[in-house]
Amino acid sequence: MGAMAMKIYNGYAFAVLFAIVVFGSFMANSATTGTMDMSTAILLRVDQLGNGDFKKIQDAIDAVPSNNSGLYFIWVKPGTYREKLQVPADKPFITLSGTLASNTIITWGDTGEIIQSATLSVFASDFVAKSLTIQNTFGTSGKAVALRVEGDRVAFYGCKILSYQDTLLDDAGRHYYSNCYIEGATDFICGNAASLFERCHVHSLSTVDGAITAQHRNSPSEDTGFTFSGCKITGVGAALLGRPWGPYSRVVFALTYMSSVVLPQGWDDWGDQSKQSTVYYGEYQCYGPGANRTKRVGWSKSLSNQEATPFLTKDMIGGQGWLRPSPTHFKRGSTIVKANVP
């Protein structure tokens, strides 16, 4: 690439990066994380064509030092990255960002044990992902996790998460999903995290009675559960809102559009009637043909304003204290560059 072409390329690159950062800043709440400088991040670029710091995403993650004390921003240029990725627990405060979910794709096709099949596994705390497609292309015949999240204080913005069975293993910790698209057929949002899904599109591939959620809360003392607020549910056939992986499974749908894909009974006890008295399955001011509660199972709840209030803010995940804005400056070597520098 010639000098002039490289200059134009770099100018375009920073313009796109600025767009990503501005988008993220609107999407995230301000945070307080001790004395760490949240305005400046070390920038690592991933480009399959070799016009970055790394050609593979995992190489960029591996380059972050263990127990890092500052922000790292891994910018993934458009492309399809065939990688099975892990973000280790000793590498917090990483942002992994594409340009658009439609053109920045992380894909793998594994199956087997649910905790081993994930295309992307996040064990680190304070991780953020933006504008990425994360998919498992294994197919319809077994467990195939696209995304496993076990770290605490983890957020996803504008991502597409795609598979068939167990698509999103929302395993443990406090998590936030904003404007994400999540697709699957069987128990495709599962695990025992405390998670808030805001303005997300949930799409069921089930043709008969596959469950959207399989929340795994095991005890009434566990402060975990899934809340879907202002979301949209669509599908190709018929689906349940959820079934209990754990006996104290807790799921709430609030202010959510439900298409006719949602079965009239709404929920299932997974063949164990004893769970009917211990689960917490609630709906609040949902709408659409699938939101009609006339034939809902009697052990699900139509929530009052008072009952719904604790589920309608980021306080349920402590988000006001840890959701952070995007950095406004990027550091490369000893140089600090503003996000809007062309």
Side-chain angles (χ1 to χ4, degrees), residues 72 152 155 300 308:
Y72 276 77
D152 191 25
S300 68

Side-chain angles (χ1 to χ4, degrees), residues 60-84:
I61 295 170
D62 293 344
V64 176
S66 297
N67 303 310
N68 52 294
S69 57
L71 298 181
Y72 276 77
F73 193 103
I74 299 174
W75 181 25
V76 183
K77 307 286 184 68
T80 298
Y81 295 81
R82 302 186 187 283
E83 299 187 55
K84 185 170 182 173

Side-chain angles (χ1 to χ4, degrees), residues 164-180:
Y164 190 83
Q165 182 173 337
D166 305 327
T167 302
L168 171 56
L169 177 54
D170 202 47
D171 208 6
R174 293 167 292 172
H175 308 151
Y176 180 61
Y177 299 84
S178 175
N179 286 278
C180 292

